[in-house]
Amino acid sequence: MTALRPFPPDLTTALRAARHVAVLTGAGISAESGIPTFRDAQHGLWARYRPEDLATPEAFRRNPRLVWEWYAWRRDLVSAAEPNDGHRALAAMQRCVALTLITQNVDGLHQRAGSTDVIELHGNITRIKCSADGRIVSDWPEGSEIPPPCPACGAPLRPDVVWFGESLPQEALEAAHRAAVTCDVFLSVGTSNAVVPAASLPWIAAESGAPVGVVNPTMEGQRAGPGIHLLAGSAGRVLPQLLREIWSDVPF
Ligand code: OAD
């Protein structure tokens, strides 16, 4: 296996001195756990399915059963998956430096790898909520009705994820924005940067003066520029190497 080092010295110097690191992750970090990304040309979910049929409030109103079953399939994929070295390296980094972990992923793999206080911008697929009032529901009647009805009001239940056309959770977005503005270093890992507002976070960090490290095997669509360091490779390889280079004594 080829070594990725040396990393750009400007980035490693900034990481060694950093008091606060912010990290944004996307579907790419979970690819090595076997969870499909969205936009990879061959196997990405949006290469096989149309978001407007499955991931909008209108789609749910039109065909709630189809949407529920698609998310149930994805929930099963997630529960069968395990965190990989990329998730584990970020959990280890959190033991070395104040680290704000912001994710667009709904799979909960960061938390299962040991990360805490994860800011989930797009919700979590394992949580279910009432489609009428948004209340989180942990038990529902298993019966013939799909989606199951809310035990409190009878409205159809839905996954607690953000669909196209919906707003991101305000508190999470504000915390993510604050971290981008105040961090000393920002890492953008496994995201195509195609969906705002998450996609703008690395550029907000860069404009606020933080060096940005971009971890991605393809770098397709990634912006380059002063202070932006492209670390080509998979998250499962690059993040552990970065961790060992900067915090060599951390158990991982
Ligand atoms: P995408 O599928 O758009 O992008 C995944 C990125 O991960 C691509 O840039 C890949 O090159 C990269 N990648 C693939 N394998 C990788 C690996 N092993 N290590 C590191 N990177 C790898 O996924 P997101 O950017 O997360 O939103 O997509 C953003 C949002 O669009 C999602 O949260 C979802 C989707 O529609 C909603 O559902 C609201």
Side-chain angles (χ1 to χ4, degrees), residues 143-205:
S144 52
E145 228 177 308
I146 299 176
C150 171
C153 73
L157 295 177
R158 56 162 284 182
D160 185 20
V161 298
V162 176
W163 282 330
F164 289 101
E166 293 184 321
S167 305
L168 273 62
Q170 190 60 27
E171 212 179 298
L173 189 55
E174 279 169 15
H177 189 269
R178 235 180 356 259
V181 170
T182 58
C183 68
D184 301 310
V185 177
F186 192 100
L187 300 176
S188 171
V189 181
T191 175
S192 60
N193 279 314
V195 177
V196 287
S200 55
L201 292 169
W203 321 127
I204 291 172

Side-chain angles (χ1 to χ4, degrees), residues 34-89:
I35 313 268
T37 63
F38 293 93
R39 294 179 182 76
D40 283 331
Q42 299 293 318
H43 308 291
L45 289 174
W46 297 153
R48 292 185 280 154
Y49 305 98
R50 283 159 32 100
E52 51 274 47
D53 293 339
L54 297 161
T56 67
E58 295 74 27
F60 186 66
R61 275 196 290 277
R62 232 175 12 246
N63 196 340
R65 185 185 183 106
L66 175 76
V67 172
W68 176 269
E69 286 180 336
W70 191 67
Y71 278 92
W73 166 69
R74 287 183 53 203
R75 247 191 323 278
D76 288 348
L77 282 182
V78 162
S79 61
E82 294 295 334
N84 64 54
D85 282 352
H87 299 109
R88 281 190 281 273

